[in-house]
Amino acid sequence: MRSLILLLTLFLVAACESPAARAKNAGQANELLAQVETIALPGVEGRFDHFAADLKSNRLFVAALGNGSVEVIDIATHKVTGRIAELPTPQGVAIAPDLNRLAVTNDKDGSCRLFDASTLKPVASIDLKDDADNVRYDAAARLFWVGYGSGGLAAIDPDKNQQVADIKLDGHPESFQLERHGTRIFVNVPSAKQIAVIDRQARKLLTTWPVAGASANFPMALDENHHRLFIGCRKPARLLVLDTESGKPVASADIVEDTDDLFYDGTNGRIYVSGGGGAISIIAQDAPDTYKVLGNVPTAPGARTCYFIPDTGRLYLAVPHRGTQQSEIRIFQAAGHFHR
């Protein structure tokens, strides 16, 4: 009950912001995240899903779900350099740079397909039966983790080209994050209105935390240093901040509608949230329990997928073709980072 009261109080505080304050914050947001480049994606139709980056080869991979392809972009020259075509609604992409493997997960046939990351030629396909979605690479264990189906998290060994673990969940998993200095995985399970906490070493479910005060919890980011988990919700459009030691909510903030991606910028203590409502919300982390909305950077309707690279401070936003708006990747530079 106290958690719910805290969230309601935070909602009321945010609602009291004046129009003048909102305008000031919007200008500040544009200064903190400025668009610097656009990459055209001619002929790419439909919506996008998720990104992955391989900094070793300076390439960005984006799942063009509606187009049935993965587009490959050189982030040094800002040119499209390759494409994996004829995929059955690709949703997730992840790179294992040490193994030179690219994983692409697909909704329609539930496959996790592995490719040679250099040649883009297929290596193997692992059948997860249904709705293979978000995918992450655990470099320490050399495993891909994939959320799939009506409630499962699978571990795939890209050396053996096979599934080696399966953890059952209470609903379809959306975004999830792996601890770098621990063994836990935090998983958004929106249909169950919860976050599942998994021990990936023991390969078992540890506990679940309820999502209170909002629902449709899709994107997620982790601030491991401060033990904070950031959850993007669509109903209503809110960012929830949880303590990863207790699972309790500590703060919340307004964000753009229809969010699908969010990232934590540890260098500047900022959170970037992209949404189909046509903006990127920027939120400052003043302290582990104190957050302030700095404003929204206008983008385009339906542009809800992004990817942030902390090493360069660059954020890549996928914009779908809608009417006169052409399909493209917009590149933003975060203030406070030196782009190399």
Side-chain angles (χ1 to χ4, degrees), residues 4 40 56 87 123 128 144 149 171-172 185 195 202 215 227-228 240 248 287 313:
L4 182 57
K56 185 173 66 175
L87 293 167
V123 173
L128 297 175
F144 286 112
H172 178 74
I185 306 177
I195 295 159
S215 62
H227 309 288
R228 294 294 177 263
L240 305 182
K248 302 297 183 183

PDB file of all heavy atoms in Angstrom, residues 4 40 56 87 123 128 144 149 171-172 185 195 202 215 227-228 240 248 287 313:
ATOM      1  N   LEU A   4       2.109   2.085  -3.428  1.00  0.00           N
ATOM      2  CA  LEU A   4       1.090   2.674  -4.283  1.00  0.00           C
ATOM      3  C   LEU A   4       0.888   4.149  -3.937  1.00  0.00           C
ATOM      4  O   LEU A   4       0.756   5.011  -4.810  1.00  0.00           O
ATOM      5  CB  LEU A   4      -0.217   1.902  -4.146  1.00  0.00           C
ATOM      6  CG  LEU A   4      -1.387   2.383  -5.020  1.00  0.00           C
ATOM      7  CD1 LEU A   4      -0.996   2.366  -6.492  1.00  0.00           C
ATOM      8  CD2 LEU A   4      -2.616   1.529  -4.762  1.00  0.00           C
ATOM      9  N   ALA A  40      19.272   7.536 -44.639  1.00  0.00           N
ATOM     10  CA  ALA A  40      18.085   7.100 -45.369  1.00  0.00           C
ATOM     11  C   ALA A  40      18.073   5.585 -45.510  1.00  0.00           C
ATOM     12  O   ALA A  40      19.116   4.948 -45.702  1.00  0.00           O
ATOM     13  CB  ALA A  40      18.053   7.754 -46.747  1.00  0.00           C
ATOM     14  N   LYS A  56      33.398  -3.230 -32.594  1.00  0.00           N
ATOM     15  CA  LYS A  56      34.655  -3.707 -33.170  1.00  0.00           C
ATOM     16  C   LYS A  56      34.681  -3.490 -34.681  1.00  0.00           C
ATOM     17  O   LYS A  56      35.722  -3.154 -35.257  1.00  0.00           O
ATOM     18  CB  LYS A  56      34.837  -5.200 -32.840  1.00  0.00           C
ATOM     19  CG  LYS A  56      36.163  -5.790 -33.281  1.00  0.00           C
ATOM     20  CD  LYS A  56      36.335  -7.205 -32.762  1.00  0.00           C
ATOM     21  CE  LYS A  56      35.320  -8.156 -33.379  1.00  0.00           C
ATOM     22  NZ  LYS A  56      35.568  -9.566 -32.970  1.00  0.00           N
ATOM     23  N   LEU A  87      13.387 -12.663 -43.759  1.00  0.00           N
ATOM     24  CA  LEU A  87      13.261 -13.152 -42.388  1.00  0.00           C
ATOM     25  C   LEU A  87      11.788 -13.105 -41.969  1.00  0.00           C
ATOM     26  O   LEU A  87      11.058 -12.199 -42.357  1.00  0.00           O
ATOM     27  CB  LEU A  87      14.097 -12.299 -41.436  1.00  0.00           C
ATOM     28  CG  LEU A  87      15.619 -12.384 -41.604  1.00  0.00           C
ATOM     29  CD1 LEU A  87      16.308 -11.263 -40.840  1.00  0.00           C
ATOM     30  CD2 LEU A  87      16.136 -13.742 -41.154  1.00  0.00           C
ATOM     31  N   VAL A 123      24.324 -19.660 -40.111  1.00  0.00           N
ATOM     32  CA  VAL A 123      25.120 -20.712 -39.472  1.00  0.00           C
ATOM     33  C   VAL A 123      24.224 -21.790 -38.883  1.00  0.00           C
ATOM     34  O   VAL A 123      24.479 -22.981 -39.030  1.00  0.00           O
ATOM     35  CB  VAL A 123      26.022 -20.112 -38.366  1.00  0.00           C
ATOM     36  CG1 VAL A 123      26.723 -21.218 -37.583  1.00  0.00           C
ATOM     37  CG2 VAL A 123      27.026 -19.146 -38.962  1.00  0.00           C
ATOM     38  N   LEU A 128      12.411 -22.136 -31.302  1.00  0.00           N
ATOM     39  CA  LEU A 128      11.804 -21.856 -29.999  1.00  0.00           C
ATOM     40  C   LEU A 128      10.274 -21.875 -30.082  1.00  0.00           C
ATOM     41  O   LEU A 128       9.595 -21.446 -29.148  1.00  0.00           O
ATOM     42  CB  LEU A 128      12.297 -20.512 -29.452  1.00  0.00           C
ATOM     43  CG  LEU A 128      13.803 -20.438 -29.175  1.00  0.00           C
ATOM     44  CD1 LEU A 128      14.206 -19.037 -28.762  1.00  0.00           C
ATOM     45  CD2 LEU A 128      14.216 -21.449 -28.122  1.00  0.00           C
ATOM     46  N   PHE A 144      23.607 -16.678 -25.600  1.00  0.00           N
ATOM     47  CA  PHE A 144      22.517 -15.773 -25.922  1.00  0.00           C
ATOM     48  C   PHE A 144      21.322 -16.153 -25.064  1.00  0.00           C
ATOM     49  O   PHE A 144      20.983 -17.327 -24.937  1.00  0.00           O
ATOM     50  CB  PHE A 144      22.108 -15.895 -27.399  1.00  0.00           C
ATOM     51  CG  PHE A 144      23.065 -15.269 -28.369  1.00  0.00           C
ATOM     52  CD1 PHE A 144      23.804 -16.058 -29.245  1.00  0.00           C
ATOM     53  CD2 PHE A 144      23.223 -13.893 -28.419  1.00  0.00           C
ATOM     54  CE1 PHE A 144      24.674 -15.490 -30.149  1.00  0.00           C
ATOM     55  CE2 PHE A 144      24.105 -13.307 -29.325  1.00  0.00           C
ATOM     56  CZ  PHE A 144      24.830 -14.106 -30.190  1.00  0.00           C
ATOM     57  N   GLY A 149       7.703 -16.918 -26.778  1.00  0.00           N
ATOM     58  CA  GLY A 149       6.444 -17.612 -26.531  1.00  0.00           C
ATOM     59  C   GLY A 149       5.561 -16.992 -25.467  1.00  0.00           C
ATOM     60  O   GLY A 149       5.620 -15.799 -25.172  1.00  0.00           O
ATOM     61  N   GLY A 171       4.232 -15.209 -18.323  1.00  0.00           N
ATOM     62  CA  GLY A 171       3.713 -14.553 -19.510  1.00  0.00           C
ATOM     63  C   GLY A 171       4.851 -14.250 -20.463  1.00  0.00           C
ATOM     64  O   GLY A 171       6.026 -14.492 -20.166  1.00  0.00           O
ATOM     65  N   HIS A 172       4.498 -13.721 -21.641  1.00  0.00           N
ATOM     66  CA  HIS A 172       5.522 -13.411 -22.640  1.00  0.00           C
ATOM     67  C   HIS A 172       6.491 -12.352 -22.113  1.00  0.00           C
ATOM     68  O   HIS A 172       6.069 -11.293 -21.654  1.00  0.00           O
ATOM     69  CB  HIS A 172       4.870 -12.917 -23.932  1.00  0.00           C
ATOM     70  CG  HIS A 172       5.872 -12.528 -24.983  1.00  0.00           C
ATOM     71  ND1 HIS A 172       6.598 -13.454 -25.686  1.00  0.00           N
ATOM     72  CD2 HIS A 172       6.284 -11.297 -25.415  1.00  0.00           C
ATOM     73  CE1 HIS A 172       7.405 -12.820 -26.531  1.00  0.00           C
ATOM     74  NE2 HIS A 172       7.237 -11.519 -26.384  1.00  0.00           N
ATOM     75  N   ILE A 185      18.996 -11.823 -13.877  1.00  0.00           N
ATOM     76  CA  ILE A 185      18.344 -11.245 -15.047  1.00  0.00           C
ATOM     77  C   ILE A 185      17.011 -10.675 -14.575  1.00  0.00           C
ATOM     78  O   ILE A 185      16.251 -11.359 -13.879  1.00  0.00           O
ATOM     79  CB  ILE A 185      18.081 -12.294 -16.150  1.00  0.00           C
ATOM     80  CG1 ILE A 185      19.354 -13.046 -16.531  1.00  0.00           C
ATOM     81  CG2 ILE A 185      17.470 -11.614 -17.384  1.00  0.00           C
ATOM     82  CD1 ILE A 185      19.122 -14.144 -17.554  1.00  0.00           C
ATOM     83  N   ILE A 195       7.721  -8.106 -12.743  1.00  0.00           N
ATOM     84  CA  ILE A 195       9.112  -8.259 -13.166  1.00  0.00           C
ATOM     85  C   ILE A 195       9.613  -9.570 -12.580  1.00  0.00           C
ATOM     86  O   ILE A 195       9.518  -9.786 -11.364  1.00  0.00           O
ATOM     87  CB  ILE A 195       9.976  -7.082 -12.678  1.00  0.00           C
ATOM     88  CG1 ILE A 195       9.514  -5.783 -13.343  1.00  0.00           C
ATOM     89  CG2 ILE A 195      11.455  -7.326 -12.976  1.00  0.00           C
ATOM     90  CD1 ILE A 195       9.912  -4.551 -12.602  1.00  0.00           C
ATOM     91  N   ALA A 202      22.297 -20.326 -11.797  1.00  0.00           N
ATOM     92  CA  ALA A 202      21.535 -21.485 -11.321  1.00  0.00           C
ATOM     93  C   ALA A 202      20.429 -21.864 -12.299  1.00  0.00           C
ATOM     94  O   ALA A 202      19.860 -22.955 -12.212  1.00  0.00           O
ATOM     95  CB  ALA A 202      20.931 -21.184  -9.957  1.00  0.00           C
ATOM     96  N   SER A 215       0.983   0.017 -16.020  1.00  0.00           N
ATOM     97  CA  SER A 215       1.018  -1.322 -16.618  1.00  0.00           C
ATOM     98  C   SER A 215       1.578  -1.227 -18.027  1.00  0.00           C
ATOM     99  O   SER A 215       2.006  -0.167 -18.474  1.00  0.00           O
ATOM    100  CB  SER A 215      -0.386  -1.936 -16.629  1.00  0.00           C
ATOM    101  OG  SER A 215      -1.270  -1.155 -17.418  1.00  0.00           O
ATOM    102  N   HIS A 227      21.998   0.390  -7.992  1.00  0.00           N
ATOM    103  CA  HIS A 227      20.969  -0.614  -7.701  1.00  0.00           C
ATOM    104  C   HIS A 227      19.580  -0.123  -8.086  1.00  0.00           C
ATOM    105  O   HIS A 227      18.625  -0.246  -7.317  1.00  0.00           O
ATOM    106  CB  HIS A 227      21.007  -1.007  -6.214  1.00  0.00           C
ATOM    107  CG  HIS A 227      22.354  -1.378  -5.721  1.00  0.00           C
ATOM    108  ND1 HIS A 227      22.986  -2.555  -6.055  1.00  0.00           N
ATOM    109  CD2 HIS A 227      23.221  -0.702  -4.913  1.00  0.00           C
ATOM    110  CE1 HIS A 227      24.182  -2.598  -5.483  1.00  0.00           C
ATOM    111  NE2 HIS A 227      24.351  -1.488  -4.780  1.00  0.00           N
ATOM    112  N   ARG A 228      19.483   0.422  -9.307  1.00  0.00           N
ATOM    113  CA  ARG A 228      18.207   0.941  -9.770  1.00  0.00           C
ATOM    114  C   ARG A 228      17.823   0.309 -11.110  1.00  0.00           C
ATOM    115  O   ARG A 228      18.655   0.167 -12.010  1.00  0.00           O
ATOM    116  CB  ARG A 228      18.250   2.469  -9.906  1.00  0.00           C
ATOM    117  CG  ARG A 228      18.407   3.200  -8.572  1.00  0.00           C
ATOM    118  CD  ARG A 228      17.196   3.007  -7.688  1.00  0.00           C
ATOM    119  NE  ARG A 228      17.307   3.628  -6.373  1.00  0.00           N
ATOM    120  CZ  ARG A 228      17.688   2.985  -5.270  1.00  0.00           C
ATOM    121  NH1 ARG A 228      17.998   1.697  -5.316  1.00  0.00           N
ATOM    122  NH2 ARG A 228      17.736   3.628  -4.113  1.00  0.00           N
ATOM    123  N   LEU A 240       8.988   4.016 -14.208  1.00  0.00           N
ATOM    124  CA  LEU A 240       9.043   3.576 -12.823  1.00  0.00           C
ATOM    125  C   LEU A 240      10.488   3.232 -12.478  1.00  0.00           C
ATOM    126  O   LEU A 240      11.196   2.604 -13.277  1.00  0.00           O
ATOM    127  CB  LEU A 240       8.156   2.346 -12.601  1.00  0.00           C
ATOM    128  CG  LEU A 240       6.684   2.469 -12.998  1.00  0.00           C
ATOM    129  CD1 LEU A 240       5.946   1.170 -12.662  1.00  0.00           C
ATOM    130  CD2 LEU A 240       6.024   3.656 -12.323  1.00  0.00           C
ATOM    131  N   LYS A 248      11.267  -2.684  -4.550  1.00  0.00           N
ATOM    132  CA  LYS A 248      10.286  -1.652  -4.224  1.00  0.00           C
ATOM    133  C   LYS A 248      10.456  -0.429  -5.122  1.00  0.00           C
ATOM    134  O   LYS A 248      11.574  -0.040  -5.461  1.00  0.00           O
ATOM    135  CB  LYS A 248      10.424  -1.220  -2.756  1.00  0.00           C
ATOM    136  CG  LYS A 248      10.259  -2.343  -1.752  1.00  0.00           C
ATOM    137  CD  LYS A 248       8.869  -2.946  -1.801  1.00  0.00           C
ATOM    138  CE  LYS A 248       8.688  -4.019  -0.725  1.00  0.00           C
ATOM    139  NZ  LYS A 248       7.349  -4.650  -0.822  1.00  0.00           N
ATOM    140  N   ALA A 287      19.798  11.942  -7.999  1.00  0.00           N
ATOM    141  CA  ALA A 287      20.257  11.031  -6.952  1.00  0.00           C
ATOM    142  C   ALA A 287      19.550   9.707  -7.210  1.00  0.00           C
ATOM    143  O   ALA A 287      18.596   9.654  -7.995  1.00  0.00           O
ATOM    144  CB  ALA A 287      19.913  11.580  -5.565  1.00  0.00           C
ATOM    145  N   GLY A 313      28.264   8.320 -26.960  1.00  0.00           N
ATOM    146  CA  GLY A 313      27.197   9.246 -26.611  1.00  0.00           C
ATOM    147  C   GLY A 313      26.215   9.460 -27.734  1.00  0.00           C
ATOM    148  O   GLY A 313      25.500  10.467 -27.762  1.00  0.00           O
TER     149      GLY A 313
END
